[in-house]
Amino acid sequence: MATTRGNMQADDKYTPQQEQWNISTPDGSQRSVPDGWSFRKAKDMVDAMKNVKIGNLNPDNDEYNMKHKRRGVAIILNHVHFQNMGTREGSEKDTLDLKTSLDKLGFDVQVYTDPTFKTITKVLQSTAAEDHTDADCLIVVAMSHGESGLLHSADSMYPVDALWIPFTGDQCLSLAGKPKLFFIQACRGTQLDNGVTFFHQTDSIKSNTLKYSIPAYADILVAYSTYDGFFSWRNPDSGSWFIQALCEELDLHGRSRDLLTIMTFVNRRVAIEYQSYVPQNEKFHAKKQIPSIVSMLTRLVYFPDKHTSIPNNIDDGSKGKKTEVYKRDAKNLLLKEFLNNPQTKPT
């Protein structure tokens, strides 16, 4: 079992979570957090949904078309410094490692450090207004302090769904029918996961019509670093558990596995390989974390090389690497953590 030593940091405000009953969204509508689901839109917004023509998209395809001229834009919103909260040490390493991993997959990575909410809104809206016809997909990554349903910018708080609303199928037509992927590293509450100790002894309808429609919120995936209501952990030296696990899995399997399989491996890596180590603070000691993946994808997402086509039966070396990663015993994991001298904190 890997443990992380030192101070614990969480992506919240170090204060008890305040009840958020009525939160104003940028468009002025109200959203109820306690008994609401973050993807649910106000009734008038749902009624106003428009039909979108998706072009030449075969409804029976099992995989998204990832053979466009460009892979697409990847926006990283890296929040390190805040007006009234602690510095998110380690986030710079997360950003560098994630940019490297996404560069390898062919993305046009754009990094914004400590953006205000106004800047975030401008970046997202201007990106949504671009022509993505020749792009495979879109990625948006937000790393910040957070609460349930909310994220912090450098100067204010905003609803997490503000990240993807500009890119729904009825808002960004050139991305309709294409995968829109959102990765969020932030606390979603103040609960702590104590973990459970194990001892090792482990309907579809076809249509023949040529014309069809899709929901505006289809083809979106949101990967949260933790389950709703819980802390998300970050190491000031090594980076956050979730982003580091994501980078490792993208590097290992980004060319050979579909995205949901990769995210399952990310969940496993975070769940098994990480545990907080703060013996001087029992409240934060020996805690665990599990990412939460919300998928509205309708097909499999692969990231094939743009320049070469590798047959599925060719071993890219990831199997051997995977064996090496997952068959390390607890002694080796503890030694690795000790040598790296990580400083893990609730993010």
Side-chain angles (χ1 to χ4, degrees):
M1 175 71 64
T3 61
T4 51
R5 309 173 68 89
N7 297 326
M8 303 298 297
Q9 287 186 347
D11 280 331
D12 72 344
K13 299 183 296 184
Y14 289 95
T15 58
Q17 184 180 7
Q18 298 177 351
E19 289 186 340
Q20 302 289 339
W21 291 91
N22 289 310
I23 301 168
S24 295
T25 58
D27 60 4
S29 61
Q30 297 292 317
R31 186 163 58 84
S32 177
V33 173
D35 198 28
W37 175 236
S38 59
F39 283 100
R40 183 172 297 164
K41 300 180 72 175
K43 183 177 184 301
D44 59 332
M45 297 177 70
V46 175
D47 291 341
M49 280 186 180
K50 45 191 175 187
N51 294 324
V52 178
K53 296 181 180 179
I54 1 178
N56 186 21
L57 181 62
N58 188 337
D60 295 326
N61 285 345
D62 293 331
E63 301 175 13
Y64 286 101
N65 177 12
M66 305 297 280
K67 298 179 180 179
H68 296 88
K69 182 179 179 181
R70 299 184 294 128
R71 178 71 74 211
V73 173
I75 297 171
I76 298 179
L77 305 174
N78 177 32
H79 296 277
V80 182
H81 304 96
F82 303 83
Q83 292 180 354
N84 300 309
M85 289 174 289
T87 299
R88 296 186 62 255
E89 299 174 359
S91 193
E92 297 93 338
K93 185 178 187 303
D94 280 342
T95 299
L96 179 61
D97 292 345
L98 187 56
K99 183 180 186 305
T100 299
S101 296
L102 294 178
D103 279 338
K104 292 178 182 177
L105 295 178
F107 283 95
D108 173 17
V109 183
Q110 303 173 8
V111 178
Y112 299 88
T113 302
D114 294 337
T116 62
F117 179 62
K118 181 179 180 179
T119 299
I120 293 171
T121 302
K122 181 179 179 180
V123 168
L124 297 179
Q125 290 181 347
S126 62
T127 302
E130 295 175 2
D131 186 1
H132 301 271
T133 302
D134 64 346
D136 293 335
C137 60
L138 168 87
I139 284 181
V140 175
V141 182
M143 299 182 290
S144 183
H145 290 302
E147 301 176 17
S148 180
L150 300 167
L151 291 174
H152 291 268
S153 66
D155 60 344
S156 63
M157 184 183 297
Y158 65 96
V160 65
D161 55 9
L163 295 175
W164 53 80
I165 284 179
F167 301 103
T168 57
D170 56 343
Q171 299 297 321
C172 183
L173 303 187
S174 60
L175 281 174
K178 298 179 180 181
K180 295 161 283 284
L181 315 172
F182 300 85
F183 300 90
I184 300 168
Q185 166 60 42
C187 282
R188 303 180 69 192
T190 57
Q191 296 184 63
L192 294 163
D193 190 334
N194 295 319
V196 178
T197 302
F198 283 86
F199 295 91
H200 180 62
Q201 299 280 332
T202 202
D203 199 16
S204 65
I205 302 177
K206 276 193 170 185
S207 173
N208 295 322
T209 60
L210 297 177
K211 180 181 179 182
Y212 73 103
S213 62
I214 60 173
Y217 273 58
D219 308 304
I220 290 176
L221 177 140
V222 181
Y224 294 96
S225 61
T226 190
Y227 188 70
D228 192 24
F230 283 80
F231 272 123
S232 180
W233 300 95
R234 170 176 39 84
N235 185 307
D237 294 325
S238 303
S240 63
W241 298 358
F242 174 66
I243 295 296
Q244 289 301 310
L246 176 62
C247 291
E248 290 190 65
E249 291 300 338
L250 288 176
D251 291 344
L252 283 174
H253 305 294
R255 298 291 190 194
S256 60
R257 300 278 193 164
D258 72 278
L259 182 59
L260 282 179
T261 298
I262 292 173
M263 296 312 301
T264 300
F265 292 167
V266 170
N267 281 8
R268 177 172 62 179
R269 186 183 291 273
V270 172
I272 295 176
E273 291 197 12
Y274 291 91
Q275 177 172 296
S276 63
Y277 183 81
V278 196
Q280 70 274 19
N281 189 335
E282 183 178 351
K283 177 181 178 181
F284 292 106
H285 182 57
K287 302 307 178 184
K288 304 291 292 183
Q289 177 179 323
I290 183 67
S292 177
I293 315 302
V294 180
S295 175
M296 283 81 75
L297 297 176
T298 58
R299 293 168 177 78
L300 300 178
V301 178
Y302 286 93
F303 300 111
D305 195 305
K306 284 293 184 185
H307 305 292
T308 60
S309 179
I310 303 176
N312 292 331
N313 62 346
I314 297 298
D315 185 3
D316 63 356
S318 63
K319 292 183 179 180
K321 295 178 183 177
K322 175 184 172 185
T323 301
E324 178 183 348
V325 169
Y326 288 110
K327 289 191 175 181
R328 292 176 298 181
D329 58 28
K331 180 179 179 181
N332 288 335
L333 288 172
L334 288 171
L335 177 61
K336 174 184 175 183
E337 294 295 335
F338 177 76
L339 292 176
N340 289 338
N341 190 29
Q343 301 281 321
T344 325
K345 304 180 181 181
T347 57

